[in-house]
Amino acid sequence: MKIYNTLSGKKEEFVPIEPGKVRMYVCGPTVYNLIHIGNARPMIVFDTVRRYMEYKGYEVNFVSNFTDVDDKIIKKAVEEGVEASVISRRYIEECKKDMAAMNVRPATHHPLATEEIGGMLEMIHTLLEKEHAYVAEDGTVYFRTRSFQGYGKLSHKNLDDLRSGGRSLLVSGEDQKEDALDFVLWKPKKEGEPYWESAWCQGRPGWHIECSVMSRKYLGEEIDIHAGGEDLVFPHHENEIAQSEAANGHTFARYWMHNGFLNIDNKKMSKSLGNFFTVRDISEKYDLQVLRFFMISAHYRSPLNFSAELMEAAGNGLERIVTSVENLKFLSGNTKETALQEGEAQLLQEADGYRAKFEEAMEDDFNTADAVAAVFELVKFTNTHVSPQSSAQFLDGLLERIRTLTDILGLIVDKK
Ligand code: AMP
Ligand code: ZN
C-alpha cells in the first residue's frame, strides 16, 4: 500500500510500526458552529482510509479530537451569554449527528482539549526543562522554535526565509517573544475567559499543544499516520512536530496525509462571499450519501469544486449503483434456481477482477476516483449478466461483491 507522505513529498510503501496495527490521528474541528462541507472532506476521506485499512485486516486505532476551547468558541459564548462549554457541547453533538448522516464512523477515541489540560501542562513542563520553551513576563509560555533542528521539514520551508518574513508574523501582545517564529504553548486568561491554574499563570493552552498531547496519550509517542486538511501543514502540523519531537526525543508521525481543499463554484468558501454551506444546509437539499459519493469521486489530494451540477452528477452515479443492487435483490427473491448454473462460476471469477482493480486503485495512495470507476465497471458487468433465470447463488455472489466495495467507500446502497 502506497501513501503520499507530505514529509518526503513522495509516495511511500506503508509499513506500520507494529505489524497488523495502525495508529492514526486526524485533527478534528473547532466546535463553535455547525460543521461546513469543507470540514466534511477530511472526515469522509480519512474514514474511507480507515475502512480500507480495516478491510485489509489492520486493527486501526483512530483518534480525532474536538477543539473545545478557542477564541471563536469564547466569542460565541459571550454573544449568547452562556458558558463556553455550553457552546462546545452543543456543536460536538451536532457534529456527531452530521458524521452519522454521512456514514462517518465515530473514532476509537474523540478526546476533548478541555479534558486533557493535565497532559498539556506536563508536556509544557518537559519542554521548559529541555529549554525548548520559555516563560515571558506576563506568564505566556512560548516554544523556542529555533531550538528545534527540524523546523520546516514538513512544510518544506526554510527557517531563514521564515525568519526574514517573521517580523510580520508578530501580532500585538506578542512582543515578549524572543523570536518572531516562537509560538504559544500557554497563555494568560483574559477577563471572563475559561482558565486553568498553572505554574506560570491562570490561563489556557495554545492550539497546537493539544494534538501533540492527545496523540501521545491515545496512540503512543510515535504514530503511523497523522492527517488533516492541507491548511494545517503550516503552522499547525509543523508546530506539532516541533513540540512532540522536542519533548519525546524521537519521530512523532511516520506518514503525514493532507486532503486538498473544497471550493465552491471555483471560489474559496467564505461567509462574506455568501457561498458558505454547512453540512446541515446541504442535507436539506440532498441525501448526504450523495455528498459522500461526490467527495470520494475525486482523489483526496486534489482540490475539489462543489457545484449543483457536480452534485447532480454524483446523485446520478450513486443511483446507478443503488438501482443495480435493488435489481439484484429483486431477482434473488424471485428466482427458482438456487445453485450456480453453467457459466456462472466463471462469471463470478471475472467479477473478482473488478475487486482487484478496486484494490489496486486504493493501494495507490487511496485513489478513490479510480476505485469508484472499478465499482461502476462491476455494476455494468452485473447488469449485463443477470436475468430472471440467474441462480440465487450467482445473484447473491454479485450482490456481496458490490457491497464489499461500497462498504469500504462507506456508501449505503440500499434504497431508503
Ligand atoms: P477547523 O475546524 O478549521 O480546524 O477545520 C477542521 C478540519 O477541516 C481541518 O482538517 C481543516 O483542514 C479541514 N478544512 C477546513 N476547511 C476546509 C475546506 N474548505 N476544504 C477541505 N478541508 C477543510
Ligand atoms: Zn491538530
Side-chain angles (χ1 to χ4, degrees), residues 292-320:
R292 181 161 186 131
F293 189 72
F294 161 76
M295 297 265 187
I296 57 169
S297 298
H299 189 275
Y300 76 90
R301 282 192 287 120
S302 312
L304 179 57
N305 190 43
F306 182 94
S307 68
E309 295 81 60
L310 291 171
M311 281 293 280
E312 198 182 312
N316 292 338
L318 185 61
E319 188 62 27
R320 243 195 290 164

Side-chain angles (χ1 to χ4, degrees), residues 5 17 62 91 119 134 171 193 253 263 354:
N5 190 349
I17 297 167
F62 189 97
Y91 291 112
Y134 58 94
V171 290
E193 286 185 356
N263 296 316
Y354 299 107

Side-chain angles (χ1 to χ4, degrees), residues 25 27 211 226 236-237 240:
Y25 187 98
C27 292
C211 291
H226 195 113
H236 184 54
H237 287 164
E240 282 186 34

Side-chain angles (χ1 to χ4, degrees), residues 2 45 57 70 87 120 128 145 156 176 206 227 242 264 296 346:
K2 287 207 159 49
V45 159
D70 161 272
I87 302 293
M120 298 187 215
L128 281 165
T145 300
H156 308 288
Q176 296 178 345
I264 307 222
I296 57 169
Q346 169 72 27

